[in-house]
Amino acid sequence: MTIFNKHILILVHFSFFLLFFNSSVFSQGWCGTVTTPQQVAFELAQIAQQQGLKTFTSVPCLNKKLSIIAYIVKDSLGNPGITEQDILDAIDSANKDFAPICLSFQICEFIYVDNFQYDMYDMPKDEEEMLTLYYKPQIINMYFVKDVPTDPQCGHAYFPGGPDLVVIKKSCIPGLVITHELGHFFGLYHTFEIGFGPELVNESNCVTAGDLVCDTEADPDPNGTVDAGCNYTGPFVVDTNNEYYLPPVDNIMSYYGDCRCRFTREQYIRMANQYLMLRSYLW
């Protein structure tokens, strides 16, 4: 049995618990993408339906370049608040991070949205309207807005199975926000997720706890507390085995600010499989 199929077997049994788990324990922070029991249940159902599909057990080369439409919402004075070059630079940075699985992104079109009301992106009302007015299927739709008052984070994305949509707060560019949200877009959870149960430091429960990725260290800290040298500064807490956590301060799916610089091998494999199973229709 492959590592991937072992994950499926254990997760299917674990999903019954998740369906009844209170979604309020799932993490929020500067990223508005929130993992819910319903999301996990959906993912497991999709995996179960596609057992005949050959999945990746090592880091593959997808050899795919996916298109993005960048929607830039103007403010009340007609100013975009961000330049096309700012966005192109952020996409170029994301391409470097996704290069190990030969997945890249290109802006195929910039569309300027003149309705300034969408610049203060009110979820879910504005999102429903944007999905009707400014959305194309089978392509990544990326909205650049001033703020999301109902969810004041740097960005949010839908996990595989949801709309092909990513929202980015303009002031968070430059930075890793696009790379981070594309990580969610291809199925990665935050390293500090606890809705599946706290992950042990020795990672013996990594298949059913934390972010469900076994080569990301257990992370107890959604606040990302590090010093200027990227040394973890707490909270220094122990797991149920009385072992101190040493979180992955360099992981892109954590909250450790400028310390973040990489995905792990198993994160790449997970994203490739999520693409294969749930987003391969993108062009």
Side-chain angles (χ1 to χ4, degrees):
M1 181 180 292
T2 67
I3 293 174
F4 186 75
N5 286 333
K6 286 180 181 178
H7 278 62
I8 294 171
L9 179 62
I10 297 174
L11 285 171
V12 166
H13 288 295
F14 198 63
S15 63
F16 181 81
F17 167 76
L18 290 173
L19 284 171
F20 295 94
F21 202 88
N22 187 337
S23 62
S24 65
V25 303
F26 287 76
S27 305
Q28 298 188 56
W30 65 262
C31 166
T33 305
V34 180
T35 308
T36 66
Q38 292 76 19
Q39 157 59 30
V40 178
F42 170 82
E43 178 185 333
L44 297 176
Q46 293 297 309
I47 292 173
Q49 290 175 16
Q50 301 188 58
Q51 284 296 284
L53 184 66
K54 184 179 179 180
T55 53
F56 303 112
T57 56
S58 60
V59 177
C61 178
L62 296 176
N63 195 27
K64 294 290 182 180
K65 178 176 283 188
L66 301 180
S67 297
I68 295 173
I69 296 180
Y71 300 89
I72 301 175
V73 183
K74 296 180 180 179
D75 64 20
S76 58
L77 298 177
N79 299 315
I82 192 171
T83 69
E84 293 182 6
Q85 191 59 52
D86 289 336
I87 296 171
L88 290 171
D89 289 345
I91 294 299
D92 183 60
S93 177
N95 284 340
K96 292 180 175 67
D97 291 314
F98 281 85
I101 52 174
C102 309
L103 183 63
S104 63
F105 310 93
Q106 63 179 355
I107 302 292
C108 63
E109 187 176 6
F110 286 98
I111 295 178
Y112 288 85
V113 178
D114 290 321
N115 189 339
F116 69 88
Q117 294 183 5
Y118 296 137
D119 205 26
M120 300 297 286
Y121 195 75
D122 183 12
M123 294 175 60
K125 172 183 168 291
D126 288 347
E127 186 156 279
E128 292 174 358
E129 294 178 7
M130 292 287 277
L131 284 169
T132 300
L133 299 172
Y134 301 100
Y135 182 86
K136 294 186 179 180
Q138 297 182 304
I139 200 166
I140 301 173
N141 296 265
M142 192 169 289
Y143 305 152
F144 292 87
V145 301
K146 180 179 180 180
D147 205 355
V148 186
T150 53
D151 187 16
Q153 319 300 340
C154 270
H156 82 84
Y158 282 94
F159 292 111
D164 303 316
L165 179 156
V166 179
V167 178
I168 302 294
K169 188 175 177 179
K170 298 170 189 174
S171 61
C172 295
I173 301 290
L176 278 173
V177 59
I178 287 181
T179 303
H180 180 99
E181 296 306 330
L182 286 173
H184 288 311
F185 188 80
F186 290 103
L188 295 185
Y189 303 142
H190 292 125
T191 56
F192 50 79
E193 296 290 358
I194 62 171
F196 314 103
E199 185 176 359
L200 296 173
V201 172
N202 65 18
E203 299 181 355
S204 60
N205 65 340
C206 62
V207 173
T208 58
D211 62 352
L212 309 185
V213 177
C214 287
D215 65 351
T216 57
E217 297 88 346
D219 188 354
D221 188 2
N223 296 313
T225 47
V226 288
D227 63 20
C230 292
N231 299 298
Y232 183 61
T233 55
F236 292 99
V237 294
V238 297
D239 65 11
T240 54
N241 292 331
N242 208 36
E243 294 185 80
Y244 280 98
Y245 285 95
L246 294 172
V249 299
D250 61 348
N251 196 277
I252 290 170
M253 301 312 295
S254 74
Y255 273 7
Y256 295 101
D258 292 338
C259 301
R260 301 169 301 155
C261 60
R262 71 181 186 102
F263 293 119
T264 67
R265 175 182 177 275
E266 290 192 26
Q267 283 178 320
Y268 280 122
I269 294 172
R270 178 176 173 84
M271 286 192 288
N273 279 318
Q274 293 276 308
Y275 165 80
L276 179 68
M277 291 187 294
L278 295 170
R279 292 209 190 271
S280 61
Y281 55 84
L282 293 170
W283 57 270

